[in-house]
Amino acid sequence: MKDNQAKYPQLRFKGFTDPWEQRKVSELADRYDNLRVPITASERVAGETPYYGANGIQDYVEGFTHNGEFVLVAEDGANDLQNYPVQYVDGKVWVNNHAHVLQAKEERVDNKFLTNALKHTNIEPYLVGGGRAKLNADVMMKINFKVPTLPEQVQIGKFFDNLDHLNTLHQRKLTKLKELKQGYLQKLFPKNGSKFPQLRFAGFADAWEKRKLGELANIRRGASPRPIKSKKWFSQTSQVGWIRISDVTEQNGRIHQVEQHLSDAGQKKTLVLKSKHLLLSIAATVGKPVQNYIQVGVHDGFIVFMDPKFDLDFMFYFLEKYRPNWARFGQPGSQININSELVRDLVVSIPTVHEQDAVAQFIITLDNLIAATQHKVDLLKKLKQGYLQKMFC
């Protein structure tokens, strides 16, 4: 019974009822690794042909090694062994020696179907080697999976092609929105000691005032209970979270939830914030601005701006823009380190409260668009994975 079920996918297009048959890659495709040519970055001539490696496009060059429909499968250097790099290409491409090149046999299989069939296959058991796992050519050609009739393959291939195209459109929109935000961050804040930003909203004309951050807020460093791994400091029933760098990176500085929570004993050993505050990381992910939207205890790797005389969102975005500049406080080859005094002495340009709010709300709108678009991209990726599981045996 199970063997019979394995010949039929859970979800398929109307009109297709035949069982799927087991086939090896060697029965379905020819390999064109012999045409691959690696070129070092210094020897590449800039052009319009995509230059492919194990994980996708690395550059654009003149000339080509392959012309037509192909399926590229990482040979070595894959950046994700669970979601193994497999790509469909069409047209002129240049492929180096880190990706295998397959082309479907026209009478047997559709290239787009082959691409998704390989994506659906767990490649990791076929790999050899340690740190740089490798998929040998002869092993790849022996990989086997079930395939339907060619007409059904074409239908499945088109379906996933349309899904990939939709995801690409959203991904491009996401990239453009992020670039747009970075452009506005540069123009909405003054540069090089100027008192006027390059771009302003209607109704604002006054010069921005130069102030030290220490004059605009009471800057305090967080505190950590020691030894930090002791269980007595934590309680999963507590309403007070324990903010760590991992929480910051996962939520891009906007803390709405945390993994750990502090016990009453733990809370007595740290600085507890019961309302929204602006924080700045001074260790590990240095210079990252943070805002808490829940009650949290503050790790000693952060400083907090208490009693601020500025709009929290405005300063959050200023610090986000300023973040690369903290690198000047580190020595070459060493970890960047900043402290409360450096932050207190930082001179910033600041406008009226009303202009601060206008700037902040504009960038918040962009951030919301970015978050909504990112959600669509993530949703489409999950949707594709779900369909891969249901439309293949």
Side-chain angles (χ1 to χ4, degrees), residues 1 7 104 146 153 189 215 241 250 265 286 289 308-309 377 384:
M1 180 68 176
K7 294 180 181 179
K146 293 181 176 66
Q153 290 178 37
F189 292 91
E215 299 171 348
E250 287 170 7
V286 173
K309 300 174 184 176
V377 169
K384 180 178 180 179

Side-chain angles (χ1 to χ4, degrees), residues 243-361:
I243 185 172
R244 300 174 300 164
I245 288 297
S246 58
D247 300 309
V248 172
T249 52
E250 287 170 7
Q251 298 173 68
N252 198 27
R254 306 284 193 176
I255 306 302
H256 293 275
Q257 58 186 20
V258 292
E259 184 178 338
Q260 291 185 318
H261 292 76
L262 292 169
S263 64
D264 290 341
Q267 292 175 44
K268 293 176 183 177
K269 296 289 184 177
T270 187
L271 172 62
V272 175
L273 304 178
K274 294 185 178 293
S275 59
K276 179 181 174 182
H277 282 73
L278 176 65
L279 299 80
L280 186 72
S281 63
I282 59 173
T285 309
V286 173
K288 177 71 176 174
V290 180
Q291 284 186 334
N292 64 300
Y293 295 84
I294 57 172
Q295 296 183 63
V296 292
V298 183
H299 187 284
D300 59 14
F302 298 91
I303 58 170
V304 184
F305 296 89
M306 308 292 287
D307 308 314
K309 300 174 184 176
F310 49 70
D311 180 90
L312 294 182
D313 293 305
F314 171 86
M315 192 57 68
F316 178 94
Y317 288 119
F318 167 77
L319 291 171
E320 184 177 319
K321 171 186 175 293
Y322 186 82
R323 186 180 173 191
N325 293 285
W326 294 116
R328 63 191 172 96
F329 296 105
Q331 298 298 318
S334 67
Q335 183 175 329
I336 301 169
N337 184 34
I338 59 176
N339 55 43
S340 301
E341 284 306 312
L342 283 173
V343 179
R344 286 191 186 98
D345 291 338
L346 180 66
V347 176
V348 301
S349 294
I350 192 162
T352 64
V353 173
H354 293 300
E355 188 169 4
Q356 289 179 45
D357 181 65
V359 170
Q361 291 305 314

Side-chain angles (χ1 to χ4, degrees), residues 166-182:
L166 185 60
N167 192 39
T168 298
L169 291 177
H170 284 297
Q171 189 65 59
R172 286 175 183 168
K173 180 181 178 182
L174 180 62
T175 300
K176 287 181 179 179
L177 283 170
K178 288 181 177 179
E179 290 173 351
L180 190 65
K181 178 187 172 182
Q182 290 305 312

Side-chain angles (χ1 to χ4, degrees), residues 88 112 116 156-166:
Y88 168 84
K112 291 177 181 178
N116 288 295
I156 293 172
K158 286 180 179 178
F159 175 81
F160 281 102
D161 192 39
N162 290 335
L163 203 57
D164 286 340
H165 178 66
L166 185 60

